[in-house]
């Protein structure tokens, strides 16, 4: 007997999907592409997948994450709700992630090569224009044999041809009277013919470069022969509904069909970004002949469809440090089907190709002085070193720096609050919003800048708790303790207020403490300290609004003279771009990954001690931040 089907309508957006009795509402929301967040991957512990039952009935017991009052109002957790009838549900605003694309959201370095590298660039993909002599009675060799014969001056060894090109080879050769353009890719196994086009197509070669972050994905459309960036875009990683961190996604991959779902989700994100950039430039997917990708180790394995379970099991071993080139067809990436994808090598389970990309893009393997490289993101990777050695670690900072894990958080794109000024007496905010429109949420840089401002004016204590004796209409009791209202919804024509709660601030304190403790621990392992650093290189997608002084003020960065800091934007995307422009960069990436030594912070007693000491604004040790402590005393009338 066929199981009766029920319909589920998800609002907003009126997405309708059918399911069977007992189906998880979270699973149906993911399939329907609603953008419902579930930080824990559906384990029922994060409380993020909040919905409101509008019509119908769900099987759902009381849950600690839902108060009795909320339950009576129809609030439920999607992961704990089962289908028993036709239903209409609303995904609450705090449980949705915005998937809108913006080309303005990426801050990145645009240099084509590190300044001290003298090798002449070698294109990973080259095009050759050929004028073949048509067959005749005196020369009736096969079409493929004729092609390879004319390619000999350009390929000392006989090239391999992608099988899928054979079916159209005869027609392509004859379309422009035996005048063709052959695309050749250098691979570890020799030269491979990946595309054959009629006529002369050598003037342009297009490629994609992607930085796949745990929270956000950034892409660029490149013209390789001219080393130009033609378009760029950003979007949330479509894997977020399965878990906001890599551990949750590894757990989800262990479910039946979970690995395939995670792979499909990230490929769909890449395809969405790619199509947006192609449309902007008037190009087709088939025009893209190559793609380079930088991602952490978990995301890289998920992209390839490889089980990541051993990444989270001691001794934390990845399947492979360097994965082979993979065809676009193999993972359904929407580019030329025969095109290949290069992923930057990883170092360890939690130090991946994204950090290797940042290392080569900032030229650390060629630097004399000691450098601290920080990629501030969900995983929070760190490198200490120079041309002689590199130590690296991952801090598991969480998604707060990318606007995730906070009630009104969002990626750095139009509508995001990125900076704030607070009146010292009125505590009224003057907001700086990306795109100069109405505020929609707060991004990572805005979060840091706001907490710094709240701390300086005395509204926020160094323990991360609001000083409730201060009277202001902006400070109120909310569902997650006290919260500060950055923007009232009624003022900007939206349904909810944009707030910053003590729970949000606690998430930031934990994240910045993990990062700062990571710096300290790596420097201790290198028998060095902050004073030994020549430069602190800050990477990440904060954009120009990451204020160094404010980041120092909350204890995210060490208290050093401002000239010690260099902000390079998205170092991961810059490294991926370099590898699309120059095969030498791929060689450098491989060498850098082999040179880097991973330090497992989770097994370090020193890291835990440093972490606990950093769980304060800016730090429990005033000697580490003397100028900040002096300024706080001044701002707060001598009170610390």
């Amino acid at each position: 007997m066929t199981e009766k089907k029920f319909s589920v309508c998800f609002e907003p957006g009126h997405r309708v999907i059918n399911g069977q009795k007992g189906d998880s509402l979270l699973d149906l929301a993911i399939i329907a592409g609603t953008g419902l967040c579930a930080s824990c991957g559906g384990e029922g512990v994060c409380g993020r997948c909040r919905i409101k039952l509008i019509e119908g009935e769900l099987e759902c017991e009381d849950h600690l994450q839902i108060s009795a009052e909320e339950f009576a109002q129809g609030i439920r957790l999607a992961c704990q709700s089962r289908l028993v009838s036709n239903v209409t549900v609303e995904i609450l605003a705090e449980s949705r992630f915005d998937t809108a694309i913006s080309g303005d959201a990426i801050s990145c370095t645009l240099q084509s090569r590190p300044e001290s590298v003298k090798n002449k660039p070698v294109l990973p993909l080259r095009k050759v224009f050929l004028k073949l002599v048509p067959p005749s009675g005196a020369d009736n060799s096969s079409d493929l044999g004729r092609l390879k014969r004319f390619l000999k001056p350009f390929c000392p060894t006989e090239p391999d041809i992608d099988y899928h090109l054979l079916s159209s080879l005869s027609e392509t050769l004859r379309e422009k009277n035996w005048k063709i353009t052959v695309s050749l890719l250098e691979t570890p196994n020799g030269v491979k013919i990946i595309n054959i086009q009629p006529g002369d197509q050598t003037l342009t070669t297009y490629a994609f470069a992607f930085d796949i972050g745990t929270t956000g994905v950034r892409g660029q459309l490149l013209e390789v022969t001219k080393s130009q960036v033609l378009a760029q875009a950003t979007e949330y990683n479509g894997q977020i509904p399965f878990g906001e961190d890599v551990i949750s996604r590894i757990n989800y991959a262990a479910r039946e069909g979970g690995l395939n779902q995670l792979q499909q989700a990230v490929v769909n994100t890449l395809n969405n970004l790619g199509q947006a950039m192609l449309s902007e430039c008037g190009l087709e997917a088939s025009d893209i002949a190559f793609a380079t990708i930088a991602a952490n180790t978990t995301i890289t394995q998920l992209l390839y469809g490889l089980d990541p379970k051993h990444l989270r099991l001691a001794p934390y071993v990845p399947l492979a440090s360097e994965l082979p080139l993979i065809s676009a067809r193999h993972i359904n990436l929407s580019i030329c089907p025969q095109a290949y994808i290069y992923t930057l090598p990883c170092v360890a389970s939690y130090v991946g190709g994204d950090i290797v990309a940042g290392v080569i893009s900032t030229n650390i393997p060629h630097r004399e002085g000691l450098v601290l490289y920080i990629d501030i993101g969900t995983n929070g990777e760190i490198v200490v070193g120079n041309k002689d050695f590199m130590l690296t670690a991952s801090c598991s900072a969480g998604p707060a720096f990318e606007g995730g894990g906070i009630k009104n958080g969002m990626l750095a794109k139009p509508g995001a609050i990125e900076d704030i000024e607070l009146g010292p007496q009125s505590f009224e905010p003057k907001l700086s919003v990306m795109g100069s429109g109405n505020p929609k949420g707060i991004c990572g840089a805005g979060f840091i800048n706001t907490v710094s401002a709240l701390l300086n004016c005395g509204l926020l204590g160094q323990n991360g708790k609001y000083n409730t004796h201060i009277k202001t209409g902006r400070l109120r009791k909310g569902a997650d303790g006290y919260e500060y209202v950055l923007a009232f919804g009624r003022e900007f024509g939206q349904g909810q207020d944009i707030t910053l709660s003590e729970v949000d601030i606690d998430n930031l304190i934990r994240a910045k403490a993990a990062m700062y403790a990571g710096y300290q621990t790596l420097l201790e392992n290198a028998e060095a300290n902050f004073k030994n650093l020549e430069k602190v290189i800050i990477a990440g997608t904060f954009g120009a609004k990451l204020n160094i002084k404010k980041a120092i003020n909350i204890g995210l960065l060490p208290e050093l003279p401002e000239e010690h800091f260099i902000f390079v934007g998205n170092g991961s995307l810059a490294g991926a771009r370099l590898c699309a422009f120059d095969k030498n960069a791929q060689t450098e990436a491989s060498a850098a990954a082999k040179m880097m030594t991973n330090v497992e912070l989770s097994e370090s007693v020193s890291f835990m001690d440093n972490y606990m000491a950093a769980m304060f604004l800016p730090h429990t040790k005033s000697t580490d931040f003397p100028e900040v402590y002096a300024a706080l005393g001044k701002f707060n009338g001598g009170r610390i």
Side-chain angles (χ1 to χ4, degrees):
M1 182 176 177
T2 304
E3 189 76 31
K4 182 179 179 181
K5 291 187 178 294
F6 298 109
S7 69
V8 183
C9 177
F10 291 99
E11 300 290 359
H14 200 73
R15 293 177 182 262
V16 179
I17 188 172
N18 291 327
Q20 297 180 343
K21 182 178 180 180
D23 281 352
S24 162
L25 208 66
L26 174 61
D27 291 344
L28 293 172
I30 290 172
I31 294 170
T34 61
L36 175 63
C37 291
S39 304
C40 63
E43 297 294 328
V45 296
C46 71
R48 286 292 305 277
C49 58
R50 292 162 65 89
I51 58 168
K52 183 175 183 179
L53 182 62
I54 304 299
E55 187 177 321
E57 182 181 352
L58 290 170
E59 183 181 89
C60 182
E61 297 181 359
D62 294 349
H63 194 277
L64 292 176
Q65 301 281 0
I66 304 294
S67 68
E69 181 181 359
E70 289 175 325
F71 194 89
Q73 294 171 356
I75 307 299
R76 305 286 189 270
L77 294 184
C79 68
Q80 302 299 304
S81 301
R82 301 286 170 179
L83 203 57
V84 292
S85 74
N86 297 328
V87 295
T88 298
V89 299
E90 177 191 358
I91 298 176
L92 300 184
E94 61 266 29
S95 298
R96 298 194 299 266
F97 68 90
D98 181 12
T99 58
I101 296 172
S102 166
D104 302 325
I106 302 174
S107 173
C108 60
T109 52
L110 293 176
Q111 74 268 25
S112 60
R113 298 291 296 127
E115 62 274 12
S116 67
V117 178
K118 304 301 182 183
N119 293 337
K120 183 179 179 180
V122 177
L123 295 180
L125 182 78
R126 56 194 171 102
K127 287 184 174 182
V128 176
F129 176 58
L130 298 176
K131 296 179 181 180
L132 277 63
V133 175
S136 63
D139 179 10
N140 62 353
S141 60
S142 69
D143 287 346
L144 180 58
R146 185 177 306 277
L147 170 62
K148 289 187 175 182
R149 188 169 80 235
F150 277 81
L151 271 173
K152 276 188 177 180
F154 306 96
C155 300
T157 58
E158 183 174 301
D160 187 21
I161 185 169
D162 189 282
Y163 166 78
H164 295 87
L165 287 173
L166 290 175
S167 61
S168 59
L169 177 61
S170 295
E171 287 70 24
T172 303
L173 292 175
R174 290 164 176 81
E175 184 176 332
K176 294 289 185 181
N177 194 25
W178 299 86
K179 296 174 183 178
I180 58 169
T181 298
V182 182
S183 296
L184 301 170
L185 181 69
E186 297 280 348
T187 78
N189 298 318
V191 179
K192 193 172 183 68
I193 301 171
I194 65 166
N195 204 10
I196 304 171
Q197 300 166 283
D200 187 352
Q201 306 286 338
T202 56
L203 291 179
T204 56
T205 300
Y206 300 107
F208 280 144
F210 290 109
D211 162 40
I212 308 178
T214 308
T215 302
V217 181
R218 285 90 184 170
Q220 290 184 334
L221 171 58
L222 312 172
E223 204 295 298
V224 176
T225 58
K226 299 175 183 175
S227 297
Q228 289 182 340
V229 178
L230 302 181
Q232 53 190 22
T234 186
E235 183 175 348
Y236 279 100
N237 189 327
Q239 295 175 334
I240 291 176
F242 306 97
E244 284 191 350
D245 56 67
V246 293
I247 298 299
S248 297
R249 293 180 202 175
I250 292 172
N251 290 340
Y252 195 92
R255 298 184 180 187
E256 184 177 355
L259 180 58
N260 182 63
Q261 285 180 287
L262 287 162
Q263 182 190 42
Q264 183 178 336
V266 71
V267 172
N268 286 345
T269 304
L270 297 181
N271 287 338
N272 290 342
L273 283 172
Q275 186 54 54
M277 293 186 291
L278 289 168
S279 297
E280 182 180 335
C281 297
L283 298 174
E284 300 293 332
S286 58
D287 292 324
I288 305 299
F290 190 49
T292 57
I293 292 174
N296 66 49
T297 311
T298 300
I299 300 296
T300 300
Q301 291 197 193
L302 291 174
L303 176 70
Y304 274 63
L306 302 173
D307 190 346
K309 65 182 177 183
H310 292 291
L311 296 176
R312 66 158 301 185
L313 301 174
Y316 314 109
V317 177
L319 176 64
S321 296
E322 294 191 54
L323 291 169
L325 293 171
I326 187 173
S327 69
R329 178 184 284 106
H330 187 80
I331 63 169
N332 295 319
L333 185 66
S334 294
I335 60 178
C336 174
Q338 299 84 237
Y340 276 77
I341 302 162
Y342 165 79
T343 53
L344 279 95
C346 68
V347 177
S349 284
Y350 299 115
V351 178
D354 47 358
I355 198 71
V356 174
V359 163
I360 66 167
S361 72
T362 54
N363 208 23
I364 294 176
H366 299 275
R367 291 178 180 267
E368 296 284 344
L370 189 64
V371 171
L372 170 63
Y373 178 93
I374 309 166
D375 190 337
I376 303 176
T378 304
N379 290 329
E381 291 103 345
I382 307 163
V383 177
V384 168
N386 53 23
K387 66 181 182 61
D388 298 319
F389 76 97
M390 284 186 283
L391 299 179
T392 183
S394 175
C395 293
S396 299
F401 293 127
E402 295 194 81
I406 54 177
K407 184 176 180 181
N408 297 122
M410 63 182 291
L411 285 179
K413 56 186 178 181
I417 297 170
E418 58 182 353
D419 205 354
I420 183 175
E421 293 179 16
L422 278 178
Q425 303 298 326
S426 66
F427 303 104
E428 285 295 306
K430 181 180 179 181
L431 304 177
S432 175
V433 179
M434 289 189 70
S436 302
N438 289 335
K440 299 178 182 177
I442 184 168
C443 66
F447 195 6
I448 291 168
N449 295 340
T450 300
V451 170
S452 175
L454 290 168
L455 182 66
N456 278 349
C457 75
L459 197 56
L460 184 70
Q462 290 183 263
N463 61 356
K465 303 298 181 184
Y466 284 111
N467 292 321
T468 56
H469 65 276
I470 295 177
K471 302 303 179 184
T472 168
R474 294 276 176 175
L475 190 62
R476 69 190 187 191
K477 189 72 176 290
D480 297 321
Y482 280 92
E483 60 187 20
Y484 177 82
V485 183
L486 291 161
F488 289 104
R490 64 178 181 271
E491 296 176 358
F492 301 101
Q494 57 187 39
Q496 64 171 349
D497 300 336
I498 299 174
T499 62
L500 206 59
S501 71
E502 290 178 336
V503 170
D504 294 334
I505 294 168
D506 184 62
N507 284 336
L508 180 65
I509 291 175
R510 292 175 186 276
K512 74 91 184 174
M515 294 296 298
Y516 192 85
Y519 319 150
Q520 283 187 306
T521 306
L522 278 194
L523 284 166
E524 289 168 3
N525 275 264
E527 298 183 348
N529 57 49
F530 291 119
K531 293 180 181 179
N532 300 129
L533 293 173
E534 181 182 273
K535 291 293 180 184
V536 178
I537 301 174
I538 305 168
T541 54
F542 285 98
K545 287 297 181 179
L546 178 64
N547 185 295
I548 297 296
K549 288 184 177 179
K550 293 178 181 179
I552 293 172
N553 198 50
I554 69 165
L556 172 60
L557 297 176
E559 189 176 279
L560 293 171
E562 202 162 344
E563 59 268 20
H564 276 57
F565 296 92
I566 304 172
F567 185 80
V568 297
N570 193 332
S572 176
L573 184 58
R577 182 176 60 253
L578 288 177
C579 290
F581 287 157
D582 188 359
K583 196 172 187 302
N584 290 328
Q586 298 178 21
T587 303
E588 288 177 22
S590 179
K594 292 180 175 68
M595 183 181 171
M596 295 163 73
T597 300
N598 181 57
V599 177
E600 283 293 346
L601 297 181
S602 61
E603 299 177 357
S604 169
V605 174
S606 176
F607 172 75
M608 289 307 301
D609 291 341
N610 290 333
Y611 175 74
M612 294 307 298
M615 287 285 289
F616 201 62
L617 296 171
H619 199 276
T620 55
K621 295 181 180 178
S622 59
T623 52
D624 283 5
F625 292 87
E627 292 184 16
V628 174
Y629 266 80
L632 287 177
K634 177 182 177 182
F635 281 126
N636 293 293
R639 302 188 310 275
I640 297 293

